[in-house]
Amino acid sequence: MRLSVTSDLWWKNAVVYCLDIETYADGNGDGVGDFRGAVERIDHLDRMGVTCIWLMPFFPSPDCDDGYDITDFYAVDPRLGTLGDFVEFMRVARDRGIRVIADLVVNHTSDRHPWFLDARSARDSRYRDWYIWSDEPEPDDPEGVVFPDKENSLWEFDEKTGQYYFHRFYRFQPDLNTSNPEVRDEIARILGFWMELGLSGFRVDAVPFLVEQVTDSGDGRLPDPHEFFADLRAFLNRRNGGAALLGEVNLPYDDLVKYFGDSLGNQITMCFDFIGMQNMYLSLARGDAGPLAAALRERPRPPRDAHWATFVRNHDELTLDKLSDSERQEVFAAFGPDEDMQLYGRGLRRRLPTMLGGDMGRIKMVYSLLFSLPGTPVLFYGEEIGMGENLDLEGRQAVRTPMQWTPNRNGGFSTADPAKIHNVVPSGDYGPERVNVSAQQRDSDSLLLWITRLIRHYRDCPELAWGDYAVLDCGARSVLAHRADADGETVLAVHNFSERETEAEVVLEGLDSSKVLTDLLVDGTVEISDEGRARFRLGRYGCRWFRVSTPETAPADSAGSS
């Protein structure tokens, strides 16, 4: 495909890398990550082929919810640096051709935000209507409590003003009232401020909760959520036509697709595919590609200039809420049988390598799958080296441990006394002595170099991002086969979810023996019959990417190209 056509929609074949400044690299030795430290590590991402950095919250915060409880949307937390440090980080990233997006967390504020301090000072205060109040706590939906281990209600009584305020998440995070036009204008100003400093977009936190009717006494002012996001996207496009919104929309497909803007694609630019991710883990647990294949066949096609975002792991619990109870228990039994490994009864607080018992062949197959699935791949920091979790930490913090750069003190994250490190690095098989960037850079069989290689092939195969895709029948339950077609070019990817060697056969409509399948991950070609059939063997957790070509134009094997 012509780069002049595809470059404007950079998110379609981006490689997004999520990092938390607080846990990525400490530049001043105080035990807390900061922008100065992250600047010094950007070349690691450049070497991998990352094209977009997603920054978790870096704003001033009491840090009761890992930075998601914000006291100032227009500043940098002093622990992490200054606005000047942020701008320097942006400049260095831009110099490497890497875009940056940041978390947009405007569902709520900290209860220490000046707006809320004013709001709870009196019923007629300036910012009172920026939050949601009720004389009586509205009826609670137990399933609506996001953190059932910490909260048992969505309403908290404020003694000074004698009313209850609404909080979808923690009680120290009062929800903003998006029915108030002043609040909506302020949200736009927040976007505009950070875009002026170079951001290329935002990851929108908890999209379905941003605009919701929570009281029975609504006055009809609540905006339609889709009008709200269409207005937000229009503002974004006016400021920067190439900016993007990446949405956390964990809903059934029929409800989720509306947040793209239906056929218009004028709301959320990319939506995470939570259903596909959850069914991938069910397929891994069963050694059967069926659940993932079914999810991909069910997944709606997004509007033309919108896209799905695919992922293996994120910064929260590995939610399994869209699986049935029995399916969820299957995944728990396979990958988190101990109660301490589970969270909220709906998810796991583990990373992939520990869930798969360190089986590197299986781990590599999963990341091959990630980069070949239709969608924009998103990595969580540390995935590229196979970091593990620290279950001694509470809740979601288990997977938010410091990045492991070297086998040295604090894993090279910081020179500080280890007692000053907030989230202690894991020890044992997944500690920095055994899992770190510096060692894997020199190991040709490492996960880091495997993912680097996958990124290169992914970027060389625009069909995977831009093409029409189809899941193919292949005669083997354990194998997922899918093809992507664009501009007369075809890429085929096959992945074996089984520990047994498997033979599979696909029928490639529109192709015949005048074409061959050239393997992109290993040397060799596979012939196609006159009827369009291709047969191949896949080893234990094997994965292969093929490009359709003529025998004359097939790429040379590595031995023949020297």
Side-chain angles (χ1 to χ4, degrees):
M1 299 185 67
R2 290 185 294 126
L3 291 178
S4 58
V5 174
T6 62
S7 61
D8 288 343
L9 305 180
W10 59 269
W11 56 83
K12 280 270 199 174
N13 67 336
V15 177
V16 181
Y17 185 95
C18 172
L19 65 87
D20 186 353
I21 292 293
E22 184 177 0
T23 57
Y24 202 61
D26 175 12
N28 62 8
D30 66 353
V32 178
D34 48 48
F35 276 104
R36 292 188 179 186
V39 164
E40 298 303 317
R41 296 296 187 177
I42 283 183
D43 281 340
H44 164 66
L45 305 180
D46 186 36
R47 284 190 294 267
M48 281 175 56
V50 168
T51 64
C52 178
I53 296 171
W54 155 21
L55 296 176
M56 290 172 62
F58 53 82
F59 314 100
S61 167
D63 211 25
C64 298
D65 183 24
D66 204 27
Y68 284 86
D69 48 325
I70 295 168
T71 58
D72 186 353
F73 290 102
Y74 296 101
V76 172
D77 192 310
R79 298 175 308 122
L80 311 182
T82 65
L83 272 177
D85 294 327
F86 171 83
V87 170
E88 187 67 11
F89 176 87
M90 296 296 298
R91 187 199 67 80
V92 174
R94 183 174 64 247
D95 181 64
R96 271 66 174 173
I98 299 175
R99 289 178 172 85
V100 181
I101 65 174
D103 261 314
L104 181 68
V105 187
V106 289
N107 305 67
H108 47 65
T109 69
S110 167
D111 61 0
R112 302 183 204 177
H113 195 291
W115 298 340
F116 190 68
L117 294 178
D118 175 87
R120 72 191 317 180
S121 65
R123 291 197 182 193
D124 60 353
S125 64
R126 164 72 177 83
Y127 289 98
R128 183 70 174 184
D129 195 41
W130 284 43
Y131 296 88
I132 302 168
W133 301 90
S134 179
D135 290 329
E136 299 291 337
E138 302 291 328
D140 278 332
D141 174 7
E143 294 183 0
V145 177
V146 177
F147 302 119
D149 62 329
K150 300 293 184 182
E151 303 290 347
N152 56 18
S153 173
L154 302 178
W155 295 88
E156 182 71 9
F157 185 67
D158 180 64
E159 292 187 2
K160 184 169 184 178
T161 59
Q163 283 188 311
Y164 295 82
Y165 65 83
F166 179 77
H167 59 91
R168 170 61 67 182
F169 297 91
Y170 294 109
R171 67 189 67 188
F172 54 79
Q173 291 171 323
D175 272 40
L176 284 166
N177 177 17
T178 51
S179 71
N180 186 334
E182 289 186 344
V183 172
R184 299 198 297 273
D185 288 345
E186 190 69 24
I187 291 172
R189 276 191 288 273
I190 293 168
L191 268 69
F193 177 83
W194 291 105
M195 291 174 72
E196 287 298 314
L197 295 181
L199 288 186
S200 293
F202 301 86
R203 175 261 185 187
V204 188
D205 187 53
V207 167
F209 297 140
L210 189 49
V211 182
E212 57 176 340
Q213 182 70 53
V214 298
T215 64
D216 292 336
S217 56
D219 58 8
R221 291 190 300 157
L222 191 72
D224 180 280
H226 302 294
E227 290 181 3
F228 173 86
F229 285 111
D231 288 345
L232 204 64
R233 177 74 176 278
F235 175 87
L236 197 76
N237 288 345
R238 289 195 302 271
R239 294 296 176 94
N240 179 354
L245 295 176
L246 172 59
E248 182 189 26
V249 193
N250 185 11
L251 293 173
Y253 283 139
D254 287 345
D255 297 321
L256 182 154
V257 75
K258 298 173 185 177
Y259 284 91
F260 283 123
D262 292 324
S263 60
L264 295 176
N266 63 344
Q267 295 182 39
I268 303 297
T269 318
M270 293 181 286
C271 290
F272 284 106
D273 183 8
F274 282 92
I275 292 174
M277 178 275 293
Q278 295 179 44
N279 280 279
M280 180 196 74
Y281 279 98
L282 183 59
S283 284
L284 287 170
R286 292 177 175 177
D288 180 352
L292 177 56
L296 290 173
R297 287 184 170 117
E298 177 190 352
R299 190 172 78 171
R301 182 183 179 89
R304 182 184 177 198
D305 291 343
H307 213 23
W308 292 101
T310 56
F311 64 109
V312 170
R313 193 65 178 88
N314 63 13
H315 58 292
D316 293 330
E317 77 274 9
L318 182 69
T319 184
L320 303 167
D321 65 322
K322 295 298 182 288
L323 300 180
S324 69
D325 290 343
S326 61
E327 291 170 340
R328 189 178 309 114
Q329 291 306 316
E330 282 186 70
V331 179
F332 280 166
F335 303 132
D338 298 340
E339 187 174 340
D340 187 44
M341 299 172 177
Q342 303 167 16
L343 196 60
Y344 311 134
R346 65 175 183 246
L348 292 164
R349 58 192 207 103
R350 308 190 74 194
R351 284 184 178 253
L352 181 74
T354 57
M355 287 192 282
L356 300 189
D359 187 330
M360 191 53 64
R362 200 177 185 190
I363 295 167
K364 287 183 175 180
M365 184 275 289
V366 172
Y367 285 105
S368 170
L369 183 66
L370 171 68
F371 284 97
S372 67
L373 285 175
T376 299
V378 181
L379 289 169
F380 182 47
Y381 78 92
E383 280 192 275
E384 73 271 27
I385 57 172
M387 277 173 52
E389 71 279 350
N390 183 354
L391 293 175
D392 292 334
L393 299 174
E394 184 179 7
R396 297 170 165 186
Q397 298 301 313
V399 300
R400 300 177 182 179
T401 55
M403 183 65 180
Q404 297 169 197
W405 297 103
T406 71
N408 305 321
R409 180 179 178 137
N410 300 319
F413 162 73
S414 174
T415 59
D417 184 321
K420 292 185 176 181
I421 308 299
H422 177 57
N423 282 359
V424 182
V425 298
S427 57
D429 289 344
Y430 296 93
E433 297 83 4
R434 297 192 180 189
V435 178
N436 63 77
V437 171
S438 62
Q440 293 197 23
Q441 285 175 335
R442 299 188 296 273
D443 179 0
S444 60
D445 292 325
S446 70
L447 182 60
L448 173 59
L449 294 191
W450 173 248
I451 288 181
T452 301
R453 184 180 174 193
L454 290 172
I455 291 175
R456 184 177 71 250
H457 286 303
Y458 163 74
R459 297 284 291 179
D460 285 341
C461 294
E463 298 88 351
L464 295 175
W466 291 83
D468 296 322
Y469 80 91
V471 177
L472 307 179
D473 293 326
C474 62
R477 291 179 59 88
S478 67
V479 176
L480 178 73
H482 67 279
R483 66 181 287 181
D485 299 89
D487 292 349
E489 301 290 334
T490 300
V491 171
L492 170 71
V494 289
H495 292 82
N496 182 15
F497 284 72
S498 172
E499 62 181 353
R500 301 184 184 87
E501 185 178 275
T502 305
E503 187 171 272
E505 182 181 83
V506 294
V507 177
L508 300 168
E509 292 186 11
L511 301 177
D512 56 31
S513 57
S514 66
K515 305 287 187 180
V516 294
L517 298 176
T518 303
D519 203 315
L520 300 177
L521 301 182
V522 297
D523 287 343
T525 58
V526 172
E527 293 184 353
I528 302 174
S529 73
D530 290 336
E531 296 78 26
R533 296 182 181 275
R535 181 185 295 270
F536 37 80
R537 298 194 68 81
L538 290 168
R540 175 184 183 274
Y541 301 122
C543 51
R544 301 180 74 174
W545 296 16
F546 298 103
R547 176 173 289 287
V548 174
S549 58
T550 63
E552 296 78 17
T553 60
D557 290 347
S558 58
S561 60
S562 58

